Amino acid sequence: MTDIILSVLLIFPIISGLIMFLIQKKTFNNIFLNIYALIHFICTLLLVFDKDIQNKGHYFAVDDTNKIFLLILSFIFLMVTIYNNGYQKHFKYKEKKTCHYLIMITAFVWAMTGAILATDLGIAWVLVEATTLSSAYLIYFNKTKNSIEAAWKYVFMCSIGIALAFIGIIFLNISSGNINTLNYAELANNAKLFNPFWLKLSFVFILFGFGTKMGLAPVHFWLPDAHSESPSPISALLSATLLNSAYLVILRVFKILEIANSSIEARIMLAVIGFLSLFITAVFVYHIKNYKRMLAYSSIENMGILAIGTSLGGAAYFAVILHLIGHSLAKASFFLSSGNILELYETKNIKSSSGILSANKVTGWLWIVSFLAICAFPTSVLFISEFIIIKTMILKEYYGLCALFAILLTFVIYGIGKAVIKMAYGKLNEEKTQIVNENKSKITVSMYIPQVIMLTMVFILGIYIPDFLNDIIQAALKGF
C-alpha cells in the first residue's frame, strides 16, 4: 500500500504534466492542478498517519524525519492552489502561457516532493537541482526586465551552490572509505568509521551548497530578487516550502556528523551563518522600498533562526520544528496577502501602497495579522519557538549570543513593522484611489480563505499543539 501511495505522489504529476502539456487548455489545466493538490494532500495524510511505513522504499520513503517536511509542503501547496484559482483568473497573458505556468507549478512541487522523500543524498541532489530548473520559469514568468534578471541570478547562484554541494558529496564519499553508498540510513549506521577530516570538509561544501538554496547568508543573493519578482503564489511556495527542502538535506548530513562525533565545527558554522543571516536582514530591511522584497529578507532571517537553533541542540531542536511550521504558514500567508495588495495597487512600492485598510479591509487585516504572526507576537507559535531558543542560549550560558539574537530580531521587527503599519494605516493616495476601485473586483473569496486558515493555525499552535501533531514532532526529533 505504501509503495502505491509513493508512486501516486511521484508518478501522477509526471503523467498529469504530460496531459496538461498536450491539451493546453487553461480551465482543464487548472482543474488538473487542483486535483494534484488534493491527491498530494490525501496521500501525505495516509503516509504521515500510517505507523507501519518506515524505510519501506529503496529510493524514496517516508521516515520520522521527513514526515513533518512533507506535511508542510502538501498543506502549503493546497492553500496556494486554492489562492491561485482566483489569482490566475485575471491573467492578461495568452492561454498557452498560463498553461505553462500551471504545468511548471506541478513540476516544481514534484521536484520538492522527491527531494524530501529521497533516501539517497545523490538523488536528493538531483531533485534539488530539478527545483531550480522548474522554478526558474516561474520566477521569469512576468517577463519584465527585473524578473529576467532575477531568474538569471537565481539559476547562476543555485548552479554554483549545487556544484559546491556536489564537491561536498564527493568528499563525503571519500570519508566513507570502502562504504560506497549515499543512502542516508547506511551513512548514519557507518558514520563512526568515517575519516573525520574529509567528513568535516564535506559538510563545509554541503552547507554552503544547499545553504544557497536555503537562502542562508552569505549565499543568499538570489533570494530577494527571485521572491519579489515571482507571481505571489510562487513566492509563497519558494519561501514556505523550497527553503525547507534544502534545509532537510543539510539536516540529514548534520545528523551523520553528530553520530560520528564530529559536529563541533559544524555547529559553529551553523551558528555563524545563522547570525550573519539575521544581521543581513536587520541591515537591509530597515531601508527597503519594495514590500515583497522585504518579505524575502524576512525569509533569510527565519532560515538563520533555523540554523542557530540547529547549532544549539537540545531543546532548541523542538523549537526548530515549531519554527519550521510557524514560518511556513505565516510567510505563505504574508506573500499571498502581498499578492492581493499588488492586484489592488499595481505596485510593489511601500510608499505607493498606503491605506490598505481603507482600500480593502480584509486584505488590510490579513496583512497586519501576518506581520504579527511572523514577528512572534503572542500567541503565534513563532513566539514559542524563539522563546525556547533564547532559553536554550541562557541555559548554555551564551549570554552574549542571546543578547545579539534579541537585538537583531528587534531591528528586523521594527523594520518590517514600520512598513506594515505605514501601508495598513496610512492615507490612501488620491491618484491610487481610482486604480484600487477598478481592481477591487479582482480579489475573490479564494484569495482570502487560505490566509485565514493558515493564520488561525499559527495562533492556535501557540496555545495548543494537538496530540497527533505533537507525536509527529516528537518522532521527527529522532532525526536531529
Side-chain angles (χ1 to χ4, degrees):
M1 183 65 181
T2 302
D3 291 338
I4 294 172
I5 296 172
L6 287 171
S7 298
V8 171
L9 270 178
L10 297 169
I11 295 174
F12 177 80
I14 297 174
I15 296 171
S16 64
L18 289 172
I19 294 171
M20 290 161 74
F21 182 77
L22 290 172
I23 295 187
Q24 295 206 17
K25 294 293 181 182
K26 178 180 173 181
T27 304
F28 177 85
N29 284 16
N30 192 51
I31 291 171
F32 248 70
L33 182 68
N34 279 267
I35 292 171
Y36 176 40
L38 192 59
I39 288 175
H40 196 290
F41 188 61
I42 293 169
C43 287
T44 296
L45 292 179
L46 291 173
L47 291 171
V48 167
F49 293 108
D50 186 347
K51 296 181 180 179
D52 301 318
I53 60 172
Q54 299 297 321
N55 302 318
K56 288 194 176 181
H58 186 66
Y59 297 110
F60 300 96
V62 174
D63 57 33
D64 287 333
T65 306
N66 66 13
K67 275 183 180 181
I68 194 69
F69 289 84
L70 183 63
L71 188 59
I72 291 169
L73 167 63
S74 191
F75 183 73
I76 296 297
F77 175 40
L78 182 62
M79 293 296 102
V80 167
T81 303
I82 293 170
Y83 179 89
N84 191 67
N85 289 329
Y87 180 82
Q88 53 97 36
K89 274 185 180 179
H90 301 284
F91 276 179
K92 297 176 182 178
Y93 308 110
K94 292 181 180 178
E95 188 170 41
K96 185 177 180 181
K97 185 176 179 181
T98 304
C99 289
H100 290 167
Y101 165 80
L102 297 168
I103 291 167
M104 294 313 291
I105 291 177
T106 303
F108 183 37
V109 174
W110 170 82
M112 288 191 288
T113 303
I116 288 171
L117 293 174
T119 59
D120 185 283
L121 180 57
I123 294 173
W125 179 85
V126 171
L127 288 166
V128 168
E129 176 63 7
T131 63
T132 304
L133 298 175
S134 55
S135 55
Y137 174 83
L138 297 169
I139 294 168
Y140 165 70
F141 181 71
N142 290 320
K143 291 190 177 180
T144 63
K145 180 183 176 182
N146 290 334
S147 65
I148 293 170
E149 183 182 338
W152 274 112
K153 187 182 288 187
Y154 173 61
V155 172
F156 178 72
M157 286 293 298
C158 290
S159 297
I160 292 174
I162 214 71
L164 291 173
F166 184 69
I167 295 170
I169 292 171
I170 292 172
F171 288 155
L172 179 61
N173 191 252
I174 292 171
S175 76
S176 66
N178 296 324
I179 304 166
N180 293 315
T181 181
L182 289 174
N183 181 276
Y184 291 128
E186 291 182 33
L187 289 171
N189 290 336
N190 296 282
K192 292 182 179 179
L193 304 175
F194 291 0
N195 182 299
F197 171 78
W198 290 108
L199 182 59
K200 292 174 184 178
L201 186 61
S202 72
F203 186 75
V204 175
F205 284 89
I206 286 171
L207 177 60
F208 278 90
F210 287 106
T212 302
K213 206 58 182 276
M214 186 179 166
L216 292 169
V219 284
H220 66 285
F221 299 108
W222 65 271
L223 193 148
D225 295 294
H227 288 210
S228 63
E229 294 303 324
S230 306
S232 295
I234 307 308
S235 299
L237 284 174
L238 286 169
S239 186
T241 59
L242 175 63
L243 308 186
N244 296 348
S245 305
Y247 171 63
L248 176 60
V249 180
I250 295 171
L251 184 63
R252 298 278 201 187
V253 179
F254 177 73
K255 179 66 175 178
I256 295 167
L257 270 81
E258 269 206 322
I259 295 171
N261 296 318
S262 301
S263 64
I264 295 174
E265 292 84 358
R267 289 181 186 279
I268 293 170
M269 282 191 291
L270 283 166
V272 170
I273 211 168
F275 275 101
L276 183 58
S277 298
L278 261 67
F279 176 75
I280 291 291
T281 304
V283 170
F284 281 92
V285 83
Y286 187 76
H287 297 292
I288 212 117
K289 296 179 181 178
N290 180 321
Y291 55 82
K292 284 193 72 179
R293 197 174 180 86
M294 174 185 73
L295 301 186
Y297 273 105
S298 173
S299 296
I300 296 169
E301 171 221 354
N302 283 280
M303 291 304 105
I305 292 173
L306 292 182
I308 292 167
T310 307
S311 73
L312 291 170
Y317 287 152
F318 181 75
V320 165
I321 298 176
L322 286 184
H323 203 86
L324 194 77
I325 298 167
H327 170 257
S328 297
L329 293 170
K331 188 53 62 64
S333 173
F334 225 162
F335 267 118
L336 295 182
S337 298
S338 76
N340 289 4
I341 296 169
L342 184 56
E343 288 293 309
L344 286 168
Y345 289 85
E346 297 181 359
T347 179
K348 298 172 192 172
N349 188 278
I350 291 172
K351 286 185 178 180
S352 302
S353 306
S354 61
I356 302 172
L357 285 170
S358 300
N360 186 300
K361 190 167 286 187
V362 178
T363 296
W365 280 112
L366 288 173
W367 186 242
I368 293 167
V369 178
S370 294
F371 162 68
L372 294 176
I374 206 69
C375 78
F377 186 85
T379 60
S380 168
V381 69
L382 294 173
F383 172 78
I384 306 299
S385 63
E386 291 178 13
F387 177 82
I388 294 172
I389 288 173
I390 290 172
K391 180 182 176 182
T392 305
M393 288 182 184
I394 293 171
L395 291 175
K396 289 179 178 287
E397 298 182 357
Y398 299 152
Y399 301 122
L401 291 180
C402 182
L404 180 61
F405 184 75
I407 290 168
L408 290 174
L409 286 183
T410 302
F411 272 106
V412 173
I413 291 170
Y414 177 76
I416 297 175
K418 184 180 69 169
V420 168
I421 291 169
K422 186 183 295 183
M423 291 173 67
Y425 292 100
K427 188 178 179 182
L428 184 60
N429 194 315
E430 288 184 10
E431 58 186 58
K432 283 289 179 183
T433 302
Q434 186 178 350
I435 295 173
V436 168
N437 289 333
E438 289 173 358
N439 291 331
K440 278 183 179 180
S441 60
K442 292 182 179 180
I443 313 298
T444 62
V445 176
S446 68
M447 296 169 75
Y448 298 132
I449 293 174
Q451 296 96 300
V452 172
I453 294 171
M454 289 186 287
L455 290 172
T456 302
M457 291 175 67
V458 170
F459 285 98
I460 288 177
L461 289 174
I463 303 171
Y464 170 71
I465 299 176
D467 290 338
F468 75 87
L469 182 58
N470 189 54
D471 290 342
I472 295 170
I473 294 172
Q474 294 300 329
L477 289 173
K478 297 174 184 176
F480 281 74

